[in-house]
Amino acid sequence: MKAEQHQLTTKRDNCRLCLSTDVPVAIPFAATPLAEKYVSDLNSPQAPALPVDLYICNDCGHVQILDVVDPTYLWADYTYHSGQTQGIVNHFKEVSEMVLDLYGPFDKQFAIDVGSNDGTFLKCFKQKGFKVLGIDPASAIAAKATSEGIETIADLMTEEKGKFISEQYGTADLVTAFNVFAHADEMIDLLKGITKVLDKDGLFVFEVSYLKDIIDKMLVGTIFHEHLCNHSLQPLVKFLAAEGLEVIHVEHVSIQGGSIIGFAQHKGAARTIQPSVAAMLESEEAANLHSMEAMNSFVARLNSMKQEVKAIADSALSNNGIIAGYGAARSGPMLVTQFELGNQISEIYDDHPQKVGKYTPGDHILVKATSALNETQPNLVVILAWIHAKAIVKKHVDYLENGGQFLTLTPTVQLITKENYADFIA
């Protein structure tokens, strides 16, 4: 990989799945501050805005960010724990049961989770009698998981680390990787490591946000610096095949606005390839998903949405009006930047203990507890934690009844008022 320094980023000049250098810009975005760089006071240095443009590989079709943020800087202030979100906990329980229903029982009952975070997913298998092992580069989170009974190696999965694990622990008949495929820059090295720890008859299960949903639903909030890859099945089938794996089944699920769960094995292993694989590949082909035309359509729709948001924001600010945001989410800086709201939002509401009382990256907007919404009574509240939009509206019906308005930016620009909120939360 050719390296080119741009402040805190290193720029690839090739596809991280197939190494092709035919990777033109597909969706240009305004440079955006990193999501987790909150500061304690206004005199703190402003987080730099870094590139977040999407590129498409004209050889394999993979859509990706090529500007890679220095991992030490990127993950230094990472606050996300899987176990903090009940929806994720429930999803992991459902997926673990799906895996066992579809492909159980497992002979060794040994599961390895790559990018295991706080061990929430592995706990589902441990409760079923599995021996479990996690690997995650966030050392503090890995230590916490280990202290709670989920042994976790604090490191990245690589070919070398895969060899070490297979030698020290043996190979696993179940290897999982949930959303780590979005975060990894050196994808080939990661996959080589996975193949090293996967038993010859083992099952590899991965989950990724689905590019088709991102494009179809305008999920701008899923695009940010740590999500280097925006996956679809066609490039993944080619990518896994290059390392001797075959996709045998795929499930389309609603988590994170739309994701796919893929099931793979070493080529020639006993499980049968299910019709779901061909069906999804045909769906992608019919949608012309891996084309510049699809990317250009996204750009055109985004520009139209920006104009809608500008008109709504200008109206809300007239006569000394106030605009606030809701949710100090990882998607926040991306949404604020792309919809040009940084100079218009006065405060953001959230109850995260590590964010309340601090200022957002880049725009330095103060984060207040959600109870402050009723004190300020802003004219308009922009929902930045878009995944939780319905829950947020349900929690603040009194604000709407008093004449307030919520605005969603993704998947659609929608103004929510006392007249229509019942339909929105139904």
Side-chain angles (χ1 to χ4, degrees):
M1 182 181 79
K2 180 181 177 182
E4 175 186 305
Q5 287 302 127
H6 180 277
Q7 299 177 355
L8 293 166
T9 65
T10 302
K11 185 155 189 177
R12 298 185 67 103
D13 65 356
N14 61 4
C15 172
R16 56 176 53 86
L17 295 194
C18 74
L19 303 182
S20 168
T21 56
D22 189 3
V23 279
V25 174
I27 302 176
F29 288 109
T32 303
L34 290 184
E36 295 290 280
K37 301 301 178 183
Y38 290 82
V39 295
S40 299
D41 60 76
L42 291 173
N43 294 321
S44 299
Q46 191 174 46
L50 299 175
V52 71
D53 301 319
L54 295 184
Y55 296 75
I56 188 168
C57 176
N58 281 333
D59 285 330
C60 77
H62 182 48
V63 174
Q64 58 208 295
I65 294 173
L66 294 183
D67 296 276
V68 183
V69 180
D70 177 357
T72 304
Y73 181 70
L74 178 65
W75 301 107
D77 307 295
Y78 198 60
T79 62
Y80 178 74
H81 290 232
S82 300
Q84 290 175 338
T85 307
Q86 189 59 44
I88 296 296
V89 175
N90 295 341
H91 176 64
F92 281 164
K93 184 175 185 297
E94 291 169 3
V95 172
S96 66
E97 291 172 353
M98 179 202 301
V99 170
L100 295 173
D101 287 345
L102 288 174
Y103 292 106
F106 292 83
D107 293 335
K108 292 183 177 180
Q109 293 211 118
F110 178 27
I112 295 175
D113 189 25
V114 181
S116 52
N117 196 263
D118 62 4
T120 296
F121 191 35
L122 284 175
K123 287 176 183 176
C124 299
F125 291 101
K126 187 173 183 180
Q127 290 166 1
K128 300 287 187 181
F130 277 68
K131 172 188 172 183
V132 298
L133 177 69
I135 177 167
D136 195 286
S139 56
I141 295 176
K144 179 177 182 292
T146 299
S147 71
E148 295 178 353
I150 305 297
E151 183 181 356
T152 305
I153 297 170
D155 208 341
L156 292 167
M157 174 61 87
T158 62
E159 182 177 16
E160 183 179 351
K161 185 58 65 175
K163 289 178 182 177
F164 168 81
I165 291 173
S166 65
E167 291 167 359
Q168 295 296 314
Y169 297 86
T171 54
D173 46 6
L174 177 62
V175 179
T176 58
F178 274 58
N179 291 308
V180 69
F181 266 19
H183 298 159
D185 180 29
E186 297 298 338
M187 286 286 293
I188 294 174
D189 198 22
L190 166 64
L191 188 59
K192 286 180 182 292
I194 289 169
T195 61
K196 291 290 185 294
V197 301
L198 182 65
D199 193 73
K200 63 181 176 62
D201 296 315
L203 181 70
F204 173 47
V205 185
F206 60 90
E207 182 181 88
V208 291
S209 291
Y210 190 30
L211 176 67
K212 191 170 187 299
D213 286 309
I214 293 171
I215 298 299
D216 290 348
K217 301 177 185 177
M218 297 302 298
L219 300 182
V220 181
T222 67
I223 301 164
F224 40 92
H225 299 92
E226 68 191 69
H227 284 178
L228 294 169
C229 297
N230 296 277
H231 288 290
S232 51
L233 188 59
Q234 178 181 301
L236 281 170
V237 166
K238 296 175 183 177
F239 172 60
L240 268 65
E243 295 301 329
L245 298 178
E246 59 186 0
V247 179
I248 58 171
H249 179 50
V250 62
E251 297 264 351
H252 188 199
V253 294
S254 62
I255 195 81
Q256 302 295 330
S259 301
I260 55 174
I261 301 173
F263 301 78
Q265 64 183 8
H266 289 291
K267 287 180 183 175
R271 301 175 190 89
T272 303
I273 297 176
Q274 297 301 307
S276 57
V277 178
M280 184 168 285
L281 291 172
E282 288 170 9
S283 171
E284 292 179 0
E285 189 69 25
N288 202 22
L289 182 61
H290 309 102
S291 69
M292 195 60 79
E293 289 78 13
M295 304 299 114
N296 290 340
S297 172
F298 183 98
V299 173
R301 284 177 286 153
L302 180 58
N303 288 336
S304 178
M305 291 167 70
K306 288 180 182 179
Q307 292 306 309
E308 287 185 71
V309 171
K310 184 179 187 305
I312 294 169
D314 288 347
S315 175
L317 288 171
S318 62
N319 299 317
N320 297 315
I322 297 172
I323 298 178
Y326 201 111
R330 288 178 295 164
S331 56
M334 183 68 178
L335 292 173
V336 168
T337 300
Q338 304 314 318
F339 288 97
E340 300 175 358
L341 294 167
N343 294 324
Q344 297 178 314
I345 293 177
S346 301
E347 57 194 42
I348 289 177
Y349 309 120
D350 199 292
D351 289 325
H352 196 299
Q354 291 175 256
K355 295 176 181 178
V356 173
K358 292 187 176 181
Y359 296 87
T360 64
D363 297 300
H364 284 185
I365 304 167
L366 180 62
V367 180
K368 295 183 177 181
T370 58
S371 58
L373 188 157
N374 290 327
E375 298 168 10
T376 304
Q377 278 293 317
N379 300 58
L380 180 69
V381 177
V382 180
I383 297 177
L384 302 174
W386 62 277
I387 290 176
H388 306 293
K390 285 190 177 183
I392 290 167
V393 172
K394 285 180 182 179
K395 182 178 178 180
H396 297 287
V397 166
D398 53 343
Y399 161 72
L400 293 171
E401 291 289 355
N402 288 329
Q405 302 178 107
F406 281 110
L407 178 66
T408 63
L409 303 175
T410 183
T412 59
V413 175
Q414 183 174 358
L415 199 59
I416 303 157
T417 67
K418 64 181 179 181
E419 284 80 22
N420 68 4
Y421 76 79
D423 291 334
F424 181 79
I425 63 179

